[in-house]
Amino acid sequence: MKPTLIGALLGAVLAWAALSYGFGGFLFMALFMAVGALVARVLEGRLDIRALRDALTGRRSSS
C-alpha cells in the first residue's frame, strides 16, 4: 500500500472515532492503533524490543 492511501485510511478511522465517540474515543482509538502498529513491527522483526528498551533507559544511544 502507498503511504498516502494508508494515511487517508488512518485519517478516516480516526475521524469516525471522533464523530462517534467524542474526543475520548478518538484518543482511545489512536492509542490502540499505535500499540497495534508496534506489535506488528515486533512480530515482523522490524523493531528490536531490547534495543528500544536500552535507548529509552539511557543505556545506549538510539543511533
Side-chain angles (χ1 to χ4, degrees):
M1 274 187 164
K2 293 184 179 182
T4 304
L5 179 61
I6 294 171
L9 291 173
L10 177 65
V13 168
L14 290 176
W16 173 78
L19 290 172
S20 298
Y21 302 109
F23 188 67
F26 168 79
L27 291 177
F28 201 59
M29 178 83 69
L31 173 69
F32 275 114
M33 290 174 85
V35 168
L38 283 174
V39 168
R41 283 186 172 256
V42 168
L43 292 176
E44 288 177 350
R46 295 176 62 193
L47 180 65
D48 183 17
I49 292 293
R50 288 184 206 114
L52 180 63
R53 184 194 66 213
D54 290 344
L56 291 174
T57 58
R59 294 183 184 174
R60 194 167 92 180
S61 75
S62 60
S63 57

